[in-house]
Amino acid sequence: DSGVTQTPKHLITATGQRVTLRCSPRSGDLSVYWYQQSLDQGLQFLIQYYNGEERAKGNILERFSAQQFPDLHSELNLSSLELGDSALYFCASSVEREVPHTQYFGPGTRLTVL
Amino acid sequence: LAKTTQPISMDSYEGQEVNITCSHNNIATNDYITWYQQFPSQGPRFIIQGYKTKVTNEVASLFIPADRKSSTLSLPRVSLSDTAVYYCLVGDMEGGYQKVTFGIGTKLQVIP
């Protein structure tokens, strides 16, 4: 158990809909990262937040947005869903300035768009 | 960002030592080398990280030559439970992972 929690575990929805994925980082971790992993693909970095502020953006679509709240949990919002958005979405957290520099991943949310 | 190249897949028999090599020719001075393991439908898990020479922990060893243009993850006496995808990451992680990318990884299949 990494200490990172994600809800829901599974999500099935239809094209055009909007969903929200939630992540709670490990206690004390200020950084939260979101990744997308499609079938048999590597992890694609989407976005990072650090202590409530957006730190870095990866290949995140304009239909997707995220935020990190004062209690450090984060939400990833996916809207106008398309079939191709079906994937595993992982959240990870880390303590920066720690050696080794380690990311702790949550169990993921499997999104299926029908 | 330093680009990494690693084999797409490898097979090994149980009990064998497995070495997975990662090439990273344009590694920068501040870059660390990190390996993660991922089981199907689970999040990746940190295995080992190094900067130069050799690092060993209870799970694996990481060999890094002097020029740091490649690195080798060594898994001693693998078991069936080591069947997973292994990712080699290279990047400046001092301030976080925003400058690091996961590739496709190496799919290791351990055979009984």
Side-chain angles (χ1 to χ4, degrees):
Chain A
D1 184 1
S2 67
V4 178
T5 60
Q6 289 187 249
T7 56
K9 198 165 184 174
H10 301 278
L11 201 46
I12 301 174
T13 188
T15 54
Q17 295 299 303
R18 172 190 166 96
V19 297
T20 297
L21 312 183
R22 183 188 166 104
C23 168
S24 292
R26 284 190 329 151
S27 176
D29 286 359
L30 299 178
S31 272
V32 169
Y33 303 77
W34 286 97
Y35 292 86
Q36 178 194 57
Q37 187 173 39
S38 302
L39 193 63
D40 291 331
Q41 297 292 310
L43 277 86
Q44 298 293 319
F45 168 67
L46 296 178
I47 197 164
Q48 180 210 358
Y49 278 82
Y50 178 80
N51 202 21
E53 300 289 325
E54 182 184 302
R55 170 71 70 86
K57 251 183 178 176
N59 298 322
I60 187 166
L61 300 172
E62 284 192 15
R63 300 184 285 109
F64 296 0
S65 64
Q67 54 184 325
Q68 186 179 27
F69 295 86
D71 67 352
L72 299 178
H73 92 269
S74 179
E75 292 181 355
L76 179 67
N77 300 297
L78 314 176
S79 61
S80 303
L81 285 168
E82 302 175 359
L83 295 177
D85 298 327
S86 295
L88 265 170
Y89 290 85
F90 290 105
C91 164
S93 72
S94 71
V95 175
E96 298 190 4
R97 319 289 174 193
E98 175 191 64
V99 179
H101 311 290
T102 308
Q103 268 191 331
Y104 298 89
F105 281 79
T109 293
R110 182 175 293 281
L111 173 66
T112 302
V113 182
L114 302 175
Chain B
L1 293 174
K3 182 176 159 55
T4 60
T5 303
Q6 52 183 123
I8 293 175
S9 64
M10 293 179 72
D11 292 338
S12 176
Y13 288 102
E14 260 193 306
Q16 299 289 308
E17 177 185 76
V18 170
N19 296 310
I20 306 174
T21 296
C22 179
S23 297
H24 28 81
N25 290 319
N26 59 340
I27 189 168
T29 304
N30 294 334
D31 287 349
Y32 284 80
I33 301 155
T34 309
W35 287 80
Y36 278 77
Q37 174 193 57
Q38 185 181 25
F39 298 113
S41 298
Q42 291 186 29
R45 183 176 73 106
F46 173 88
I47 300 177
I48 198 165
Q49 185 178 84
Y51 184 78
K52 61 180 178 181
T53 63
K54 177 184 172 183
V55 180
T56 298
N57 61 23
E58 64 278 4
V59 176
S61 294
L62 179 60
F63 298 92
I64 305 168
D67 66 5
R68 303 202 325 125
K69 292 184 186 300
S70 66
S71 58
T72 300
L73 173 73
S74 181
L75 305 171
R77 300 181 59 79
V78 293
S79 64
L80 295 176
S81 63
D82 292 317
T83 294
V85 176
Y86 292 82
Y87 297 95
C88 166
L89 313 181
V90 172
D92 177 3
M93 297 166 188
E94 195 77 31
Y97 272 64
Q98 64 270 27
K99 298 177 188 173
V100 179
T101 57
F102 283 78
I104 295 177
T106 297
K107 196 175 226 179
L108 172 66
Q109 180 70 49
V110 179
I111 306 162

